[in-house]
Amino acid sequence: MTTRRAFLGQATATLALSGLARPAFAASHDPQALVAREAVVQLAPEGYPATSIWGYDGTLPGTLIRVRQGERIRRRLVNELPQPSSVHWHGLRIENAMDGVAGLTQDPVPPGESFDYDFVAPDAGTFWYHSHYNSVEQVARGLYGALIVDEAEPVDVDHDEILMLDDWLLDTETAQLDPDFAAPHSLSHAGRRGNFVATNGAALTELPVKPNERIRLRLINAANARIFPLTLSGLDGWVMAYDGMPLDTPEKLEGEFLLGPGQRVDLFVDVTAAAGESAHLVRLNDEEGFSQVAFPVAGDGVSRTRRDAPAALPPNPGMDVPGVEGAPVTDLLMEGGAMGGLQEAVYNGETLGFRALVDANQFWAFNGVVGMTDTPLMNVARGETARVKMRNETAFPHAMHLHGMHFREVLENGDLGPLRDTLLVFRGETREIAFVGGAPGKWLFHCHMLGHTASGMATWVQVT
Ligand code: C2O
Ligand code: CU
């Protein structure tokens, strides 16, 4: 495995993920503030200048929000940014009015104003929150954080680590973010890709471990567009959950796995590397491996012995997807982008040729329409099962994210895949999902490659 010097050899502290600072006595009934503001952080490796970012409470990632399953989350978004904003709680099954999609479920919160979010976290798992206004810019500037909902009963692991993966497009001299967030080339191709990859807002994350320890790794892909191909070294791993939802049977990890934008995976990893060695979460790039996170192993003799394969995490309630066979199917044709051959599409109610769309910096269409429509893609009654058949006729992969509900992929043999809220659909693929209508309201359904959302790849589902 090759390593990049800038990413290794520095003892970097694990991150500034601050816990909940709750006053011992509630001074008032006001929710705790979550301040969206500018900040300066050391993002690039030491020796580079600090970077100005936008962060929740001025940190990168934003303040960790962590509750136990069934607890209430109350947060007052205080917008100290020079732009409107809103907060989306990615993967949480909450009321529609709390979903935070500016322009669909709430008005954007203007600079200087605030908005109170208040909901119960029904599911245990690994979630995250991020800006949902001009997210192609605001998420790229750092407006995101982890949201962890702990299981009712403690889970038997030695460490529980949150790893938010992101890539940053930085000027190599000044270490400042490239301000061209809506560059036509990145919107029309694979999206904004960074030249600097980080975990939890730091160049290098090192987590010391002991031989044979079992660690829960909560990986969250917060990147605008990058799909992370990952593998393990010096670790034996099991997939315990995707997108916050436990698998019925943990899956032994063999070889490489992908983490698309917006996706999460919970792994249990057992340290197999010996004391004095380092285990790694490895990022693959053109057959080369880079250390995304290093786990230096120390402390022999006293360590525990290896454990058996882990038992499944407790399932979240009411996640069945019944009656898939007879459920109505809605088609979703994904078109456009560079080399996509899109001739024309409807934009703002007008049919435009591809040239005119390019001039409007809009490149992608769902069912022949660019961007949001007045009418939903589909109506689903609460409690009813519906299917969406997605056909990707573009030249790029897309990370399709449904708000408010988890879905299961309907596999070719009729089996159902694991519960997910974000699915990678590669070029030329047809993939079908099934889900049950959840809380009533307007639920966004879009590509989580945020430049694609900004240039056409968004629609919505109405639950009645
Ligand atoms: Cu993670 Cu529509 O968002
Ligand atoms: Cu996309």
Side-chain angles (χ1 to χ4, degrees):
M1 189 177 78
T2 55
T3 50
R4 196 174 271 170
R5 248 185 82 233
F7 293 160
L8 293 175
Q10 301 166 57
T12 303
T14 63
L15 282 235
L17 284 174
S18 48
L20 283 185
R22 270 204 198 121
F25 302 97
S28 72
H29 291 290
D30 283 349
Q32 194 179 331
L34 184 68
V35 184
R37 63 174 178 88
E38 297 179 44
V40 175
V41 300
Q42 188 64 42
L43 170 60
E46 247 164 273
Y48 285 93
T51 304
S52 359
I53 58 131
W54 293 359
Y56 291 112
D57 299 330
T59 66
L60 198 62
T63 303
L64 169 63
I65 298 178
R66 186 160 203 157
V67 297
R68 200 162 286 283
Q69 186 168 19
E71 280 180 3
R72 241 170 111 185
I73 294 175
R74 296 176 72 216
R75 280 292 184 291
R76 172 166 296 168
L77 169 65
V78 177
N79 184 4
E80 293 184 357
L81 303 170
Q83 290 181 4
S85 200
S86 68
V87 183
H88 170 55
W89 317 91
H90 184 126
L92 270 79
R93 290 192 291 161
I94 56 178
E95 307 151 61
N96 192 245
M98 294 288 113
D99 197 44
V101 179
L104 186 69
T105 66
Q106 68 167 92
D107 291 333
V109 181
E113 296 192 16
S114 69
F115 185 90
D116 290 354
Y117 293 95
D118 183 347
F119 51 85
V120 165
D123 301 313
T126 300
F127 304 96
W128 65 303
Y129 66 95
H130 61 79
S131 158
H132 219 299
Y133 177 85
N134 187 20
S135 54
V136 66
E137 170 174 351
Q138 295 195 359
V139 173
R141 287 189 185 272
L143 284 167
Y144 61 76
L147 196 165
I148 304 300
V149 183
D150 285 307
E151 290 78 11
E153 300 294 329
V155 170
D156 181 26
V157 290
D158 299 309
H159 303 267
D160 182 327
E161 302 288 350
I162 303 162
L163 303 172
M164 294 194 88
L165 278 46
D166 197 358
D167 62 344
W168 304 81
L169 190 53
L170 300 181
D171 182 291
T172 50
E173 293 294 312
T174 65
Q176 298 312 301
L177 288 165
D178 183 321
D180 196 1
F181 296 97
H185 187 274
S186 68
L187 296 193
S188 61
H189 290 72
R192 180 182 170 101
R193 302 257 300 185
N195 53 2
F196 173 65
V197 177
T199 305
N200 295 351
L204 167 75
T205 305
E206 261 196 4
L207 299 167
V209 295
K210 299 197 182 83
N212 296 327
E213 276 188 317
R214 175 165 287 174
I215 311 159
R216 180 177 188 164
L217 298 180
R218 301 170 182 268
L219 309 186
I220 304 171
N221 183 349
N224 262 42
R226 179 181 293 257
I227 299 169
F228 284 85
L230 300 165
T231 192
L232 302 173
S233 147
L235 300 166
D236 254 6
W238 289 267
V239 176
M240 303 302 294
Y242 287 116
D243 298 343
M245 294 296 164
L247 296 179
D248 299 337
T249 313
E251 254 169 42
K252 184 97 196 355
L253 256 181
E254 312 281 359
E256 174 185 340
F257 62 100
L258 298 178
L259 195 66
Q263 292 185 323
R264 287 89 64 216
V265 64
D266 282 54
L267 305 178
F268 279 10
V269 296
D270 288 354
V271 177
T272 56
E277 299 177 347
S278 265
H280 295 271
L281 173 67
V282 178
R283 181 178 82 256
L284 299 166
N285 197 356
D286 291 336
E287 310 288 301
E288 272 192 296
F290 298 90
S291 178
Q292 181 75 26
V293 178
F295 302 88
V297 186
D300 35 7
V302 293
S303 319
R304 61 163 70 249
T305 50
R306 292 297 308 287
R307 287 187 246 200
D308 297 335
L313 292 166
N316 286 312
M319 299 305 297
D320 286 349
V321 184
V324 169
E325 241 156 73
V329 182
T330 301
D331 285 299
L332 184 72
L333 176 62
M334 309 159 73
E335 292 177 295
M339 302 162 289
L342 180 68
Q343 301 290 313
E344 55 175 40
V346 175
Y347 178 53
N348 286 338
E350 249 185 283
T351 301
L352 299 181
F354 196 66
R355 261 287 114 216
L357 290 171
V358 169
D359 290 341
N361 213 18
Q362 295 292 317
F363 301 98
W364 309 91
F366 283 158
N367 291 345
V369 180
V370 174
M372 293 290 277
T373 46
D374 294 338
T375 51
L377 170 71
M378 60 202 287
N379 284 286
V380 187
R382 175 170 211 162
E384 239 144 65
T385 300
R387 299 160 67 147
V388 184
K389 191 177 199 167
M390 299 176 277
R391 198 160 94 235
N392 180 357
E393 291 199 346
T394 78
F396 294 90
H398 301 288
M400 292 300 297
H401 171 47
L402 178 61
H403 282 219
M405 289 156 281
H406 278 67
F407 51 77
R408 289 185 188 273
E409 184 169 0
V410 185
L411 302 169
E412 250 158 51
N413 61 6
D415 286 355
L416 297 180
L419 288 162
R420 299 224 64 146
D421 63 32
T422 307
L423 183 73
L424 284 171
V425 184
F426 291 90
R427 77 181 281 180
E429 280 186 343
T430 298
R431 307 276 292 272
E432 201 172 340
I433 58 170
F435 63 95
V436 176
K442 299 174 172 180
W443 298 104
L444 196 66
F445 183 34
H446 67 103
C447 176
H448 219 288
M449 285 146 177
L450 300 172
H452 294 175
T453 324
S455 58
M457 289 200 133
T459 184
W460 58 288
V461 169
Q462 172 93 55
V463 178
T464 52

